Amino acid sequence: MTHLQAGLSPETLEKARLELNENPDTLHQDIQEVRDMVITRPDIGFLRTDDAFILRFLRARKFHHFEAFRLLAQYFEYRQQNLDMFKSFKATDPGIKQALKDGFPGGLANLDHYGRKILVLFAANWDQSRYTLVDILRAILLSLEAMIEDPELQVNGFVLIIDWSNFTFKQASKLTPSMLRLAIEGLQDSFPARFGGIHFVNQPWYIHALYTVIRPFLKEKTRKRIFLHGNNLNSLHQLIHPEILPSEFGGMLPPYDMGTWARTLLDHEYDDDSEYNVDSYSMPVKDVEKELSPKSMKRNKGSTAPASLSSSSSDPNQ
């Protein structure tokens, strides 16, 4: 074991070896091979190329050198193409702070049975008058940046649960194709995190319709990991044990405190509120409505599960 693996438990070390092809004997060579590719993309400013940073991209792509480099390049390219998103990219930025305090995102205290961090979003908490959807995306990306510092999570990954209860059609109308594309590019294509499952619960018909619009732009692996449970929380419990879930998801724990993760990031500045004009932060996003133009949307009367709900003994991150 090298110093780069010092933060891993024996179980996670073995998991990294078996599932991610991580070999301590070749670790420094693997990292250097990715670093050597940086010269092939002079159009991108690679602001970090240290060993620990490159390692998280190798883990996210199971130590396939070229795929890890491509993810590294897309990580910095996304930031170059969306400069305004990353100005004042810190928890105390007013828009990010408001989103964090409303639980965008939240994080459960307990890991799941695969050692994955469970992130939660309660969509109806979004207050359009106080911060934008871009602020929510920025808050999620900032949170992932903090969480991915944990080497255990680099290997084990994350699970996301989105509760769409009471999310209005008016709120949903703000989920424009360009905004959705920005989120897909930022989370699926440009960040070194392993998502083992994305669970929708209590989604109304118009959220299901939106999913059909963005589905073609998701990777096949991502599509297989999205579960639309509707009101059927039993199907959620087949994949995430109710013993570690709050009562909002039919779990055995008390209701989730929306400010939990925000307090971790903000510390003593959590209660220091400053005025924020939602109109003062306007970020142009790429116009891709034509690419993502929705087809006819029909009401879905039942819950749909695009991915199989059959439980498996193997880690779905694989």
Side-chain angles (χ1 to χ4, degrees), residues 107-145:
L108 301 189
N110 297 305
L111 305 175
D112 78 352
H113 53 297
Y114 294 116
R116 301 175 300 192
K117 180 75 174 178
I118 302 174
L119 304 179
V120 295
L121 298 176
F122 295 89
N125 281 7
W126 175 34
D127 185 344
Q128 301 177 60
S129 68
R130 295 167 61 231
Y131 50 92
T132 68
L133 278 172
V134 175
D135 289 321
I136 291 177
L137 178 57
R138 295 167 74 221
I140 292 171
L141 287 170
L142 181 70
S143 298
L144 286 172
E145 290 282 4

Side-chain angles (χ1 to χ4, degrees), residues 27-44:
L27 198 57
H28 288 283
Q29 181 183 337
D30 292 327
I31 291 169
Q32 190 58 46
E33 289 201 25
V34 173
R35 188 183 288 117
D36 288 344
M37 297 182 198
V38 167
I39 196 172
T40 67
R41 291 297 304 272
D43 56 311
I44 296 175

